[in-house]
Each structure stands twice: as structure tokens, then as C-alpha cells.
Amino acid sequence: MKLTAIKPINHEGEVKTEGTTFETLEQHGRELIKKGYAVLVVEDNPAEQPEQPEQPEQPEQPEQPKTKSKTK
């Protein structure tokens, strides 16, 4: 998991300062994110990301007229 430090972190015997990008295991990364020490790096590399099948568009449903019930 690739992260960017947002607070100084001691990771693998080194201090990672703010803005430093590093890799760690999934569980450790989730913990650092949860505690506010790092953020996930999102890479825009389509070669590494699996393709998402396109969802067919749902046709718009016309609104049904509202009927008022008569009560006496």
C-alpha cells in the first residue's frame, strides 16, 4: 500500500517527514490512515488498474401523477 505521510512517522527505522511517500503492508497502512498519520496515494495509472465494466444506463422513469384519495 502506497501512502504519503502527513505527520512525521518512524517507519522501518527511518523518520518519514510530512509529504514523504512510502510503501507499507495493507493492515499497517489502514492503521496509519485511521490514526491520521498518512493518506493513501491514488495513482492514475490505467495499466495497473483493472477495467471496470460499464454499467448500462437506466432509462428515466416518467413521474406518475399523484392521485388524491377522497375521504369524507
Side-chain angles (χ1 to χ4, degrees):
M1 168 178 259
K2 199 169 196 178
L3 302 173
T4 299
I6 54 177
K7 293 182 181 178
I9 304 169
N10 185 354
H11 178 68
E12 296 181 342
E14 294 181 22
V15 175
K16 308 292 184 189
T17 57
E18 298 165 8
T20 304
T21 302
F22 62 99
E23 291 201 32
T24 189
L25 299 175
E26 190 78 21
Q27 184 175 357
H28 185 232
R30 287 193 309 262
E31 185 177 328
L32 291 172
I33 292 168
K34 183 178 179 182
K35 290 183 176 183
Y37 285 97
V39 293
L40 182 64
V41 173
V42 179
E43 295 181 13
D44 292 330
N45 188 348
E48 292 182 8
Q49 297 175 356
E51 286 190 27
Q52 297 290 331
E54 290 188 23
Q55 298 289 334
E57 291 185 23
Q58 298 292 330
E60 290 185 24
Q61 299 292 331
E63 285 188 30
Q64 299 294 327
K66 295 180 182 179
T67 58
K68 294 182 180 180
S69 59
K70 295 181 183 178
T71 55
K72 290 186 179 179

